[in-house]
Coordinates of all heavy atoms in Angstrom, one line a residue:
G1 N 74.6 131.6 223.1 CA 74.8 132.9 222.5 C 76.2 133.3 222.5 O 76.6 134.4 222.1
W2 N 77.1 132.4 222.9 CA 78.5 132.6 223.0 C 79.2 131.3 222.6 O 78.6 130.3 222.4 CB 78.9 133.0 224.4 CG 78.6 132.0 225.4 CD1 79.4 131.0 225.8 CD2 77.4 131.9 226.1 NE1 78.7 130.2 226.8 CE2 77.5 130.8 227.0 CE3 76.2 132.6 226.2 CZ2 76.4 130.4 227.9 CZ3 75.2 132.2 227.0 CH2 75.3 131.1 227.8
G3 N 80.5 131.4 222.4 CA 81.3 130.2 222.0 C 81.2 129.2 223.1 O 81.2 129.4 224.3
G4 N 81.1 127.9 222.7 CA 81.0 126.8 223.6 C 82.0 125.7 223.2 O 82.6 125.7 222.2
D5 N 82.1 124.7 224.1 CA 83.0 123.6 223.8 C 82.3 122.6 222.8 O 81.2 122.1 223.2 CB 83.3 122.9 225.1 CG 84.3 121.8 225.0 OD1 84.6 121.4 223.9 OD2 84.9 121.4 226.1
T6 N 82.9 122.4 221.7 CA 82.2 121.6 220.7 C 82.3 120.1 221.0 O 81.6 119.3 220.4 CB 82.9 121.8 219.3 OG1 84.3 121.5 219.4 CG2 82.7 123.2 218.8
R7 N 83.0 119.7 222.1 CA 82.9 118.3 222.5 C 81.5 118.0 222.9 O 81.1 116.8 222.8 CB 83.9 118.1 223.7 CG 85.3 118.1 223.4 CD 86.2 117.9 224.6 NE 86.1 119.0 225.5 CZ 86.8 119.1 226.6 NH1 87.6 118.1 227.0 NH2 86.7 120.1 227.5
V8 N 80.7 118.9 223.4 CA 79.3 118.7 223.8 C 78.6 118.2 222.5 O 77.8 117.2 222.6 CB 78.7 120.0 224.3 CG1 77.2 119.7 224.5 CG2 79.4 120.4 225.6
V9 N 78.8 118.8 221.4 CA 78.2 118.4 220.2 C 78.7 117.0 219.7 O 77.9 116.1 219.4 CB 78.4 119.4 219.0 CG1 77.8 118.9 217.7 CG2 77.9 120.8 219.4
D10 N 80.0 116.8 219.7 CA 80.5 115.6 219.2 C 80.1 114.4 220.0 O 79.7 113.3 219.5 CB 82.1 115.6 219.3 CG 82.7 116.7 218.4 OD1 82.0 117.0 217.4 OD2 83.8 117.2 218.6
V11 N 80.0 114.5 221.3 CA 79.6 113.4 222.2 C 78.1 113.1 222.0 O 77.7 111.9 221.9 CB 79.9 113.6 223.7 CG1 79.3 112.5 224.5 CG2 81.4 113.7 223.9
H12 N 77.3 114.1 221.9 CA 75.9 113.9 221.6 C 75.6 113.3 220.3 O 74.7 112.5 220.1 CB 75.1 115.2 221.8 CG 74.7 115.5 223.3 ND1 75.6 116.1 224.1 CD2 73.6 115.3 224.0 CE1 75.1 116.2 225.3 NE2 73.8 115.7 225.2
V13 N 76.3 113.7 219.3 CA 76.2 113.1 217.9 C 76.5 111.6 218.0 O 75.8 110.8 217.4 CB 77.1 113.8 216.9 CG1 77.2 113.0 215.6 CG2 76.5 115.2 216.6
Q14 N 77.6 111.3 218.7 CA 77.9 109.9 218.8 C 76.9 109.1 219.6 O 76.5 108.0 219.2 CB 79.3 109.7 219.5 CG 79.8 108.3 219.6 CD 79.9 107.6 218.2 OE1 80.3 108.3 217.2 NE2 79.4 106.4 218.1
R15 N 76.3 109.7 220.6 CA 75.2 109.0 221.4 C 74.0 108.8 220.5 O 73.4 107.8 220.5 CB 74.9 109.8 222.6 CG 75.8 109.6 223.8 CD 75.6 110.6 224.9 NE 74.2 110.8 225.2 CZ 73.8 111.8 226.0 NH1 74.7 112.6 226.6 NH2 72.5 112.0 226.3
L16 N 73.7 109.8 219.7 CA 72.6 109.7 218.8 C 72.8 108.7 217.7 O 71.9 107.9 217.4 CB 72.3 111.1 218.1 CG 71.1 111.2 217.2 CD1 69.8 110.9 218.0 CD2 71.0 112.7 216.7
R17 N 74.0 108.6 217.2 CA 74.3 107.6 216.2 C 74.1 106.1 216.7 O 73.6 105.3 216.0 CB 75.8 107.7 215.8 CG 76.1 108.8 214.7 CD 77.5 109.0 214.5 NE 77.9 109.8 213.4 CZ 79.0 110.4 213.2 NH1 80.0 110.3 214.1 NH2 79.2 111.1 212.1
T18 N 74.5 105.9 218.0 CA 74.3 104.6 218.5 C 72.8 104.2 218.6 O 72.5 103.0 218.6 CB 74.9 104.5 219.9 OG1 74.2 105.3 220.8 CG2 76.4 104.8 219.9
K19 N 72.0 105.2 218.6 CA 70.5 104.9 218.8 C 69.8 104.8 217.4 O 68.9 104.0 217.3 CB 69.9 105.9 219.7 CG 70.4 105.9 221.1 CD 69.7 106.9 222.0 CE 70.2 106.9 223.4 NZ 69.4 107.8 224.3
I20 N 70.2 105.6 216.5 CA 69.5 105.7 215.2 C 70.3 105.0 214.0 O 69.7 104.9 212.9 CB 69.1 107.1 214.8 CG1 70.3 107.9 214.5 CG2 68.3 107.8 215.9 CD1 70.0 109.3 213.9
G21 N 71.5 104.7 214.3 CA 72.3 104.0 213.2 C 73.6 104.8 213.0 O 73.5 106.1 212.8
Q22 N 74.7 104.2 213.1 CA 76.0 104.9 212.9 C 76.2 105.6 211.6 O 76.8 106.6 211.5 CB 77.2 103.8 213.1 CG 77.3 103.3 214.5 CD 77.8 104.3 215.5 OE1 78.3 105.3 215.1 NE2 77.7 104.1 216.8
D23 N 75.5 105.1 210.5 CA 75.7 105.6 209.2 C 74.7 106.7 208.9 O 74.8 107.3 207.8 CB 75.6 104.5 208.1 CG 76.7 103.5 208.3 OD1 77.8 103.9 208.8 OD2 76.5 102.3 207.9
R24 N 73.7 107.0 209.8 CA 72.7 107.9 209.4 C 73.2 109.4 209.5 O 72.7 110.2 208.7 CB 71.5 107.7 210.4 CG 70.3 108.6 210.2 CD 69.8 108.6 208.8 NE 69.4 107.3 208.3 CZ 69.0 107.0 207.1 NH1 69.0 108.0 206.2 NH2 68.6 105.8 206.8
I25 N 74.1 109.7 210.4 CA 74.7 111.0 210.5 C 76.1 110.9 210.0 O 76.9 110.2 210.6 CB 74.6 111.5 211.9 CG1 73.1 111.6 212.4 CG2 75.3 112.9 212.0 CD1 73.0 112.0 213.8
E26 N 76.4 111.7 209.0 CA 77.7 111.7 208.4 C 78.6 112.8 208.9 O 78.1 114.0 209.0 CB 77.6 111.8 206.9 CG 78.9 111.7 206.1 CD 78.7 111.9 204.6 OE1 77.5 111.7 204.1 OE2 79.7 112.1 203.9
T27 N 79.9 112.5 209.2 CA 80.8 113.6 209.5 C 81.4 114.2 208.3 O 81.9 113.4 207.4 CB 82.0 113.0 210.4 OG1 81.4 112.4 211.6 CG2 83.0 114.1 210.8
V28 N 81.4 115.5 208.1 CA 82.1 116.2 207.0 C 83.3 116.9 207.6 O 83.1 117.9 208.3 CB 81.1 117.2 206.4 CG1 81.8 117.8 205.2 CG2 79.8 116.4 205.9
R29 N 84.4 116.3 207.5 CA 85.6 116.8 208.1 C 85.9 118.3 207.9 O 85.8 118.7 206.7 CB 86.8 116.0 207.7 CG 86.8 114.5 208.2 CD 88.1 113.8 208.0 NE 88.1 112.5 208.4 CZ 88.2 112.1 209.7 NH1 88.5 113.0 210.6 NH2 88.2 110.8 210.0
G30 N 86.1 119.0 208.9 CA 86.4 120.4 208.8 C 85.2 121.3 208.8 O 85.3 122.5 208.8

């Protein structure tokens, strides 16, 4: 409910990509 460190998101997205496919989740810069 407050600001958090977005590194938590980035690392979990990368972990998820390694399991379901690197191309399945796309990064939209910015």
Side-chain angles (χ1 to χ4, degrees):
W2 58 90
D5 189 342
T6 57
R7 286 180 297 182
V8 174
V9 176
D10 295 335
V11 174
H12 275 82
V13 167
Q14 185 54 42
R15 279 169 44 190
L16 186 58
R17 279 172 168 160
T18 64
K19 295 182 179 184
I20 68 171
Q22 290 290 343
D23 297 331
R24 180 54 58 186
I25 299 175
E26 181 180 346
T27 300
V28 182
R29 293 190 180 278

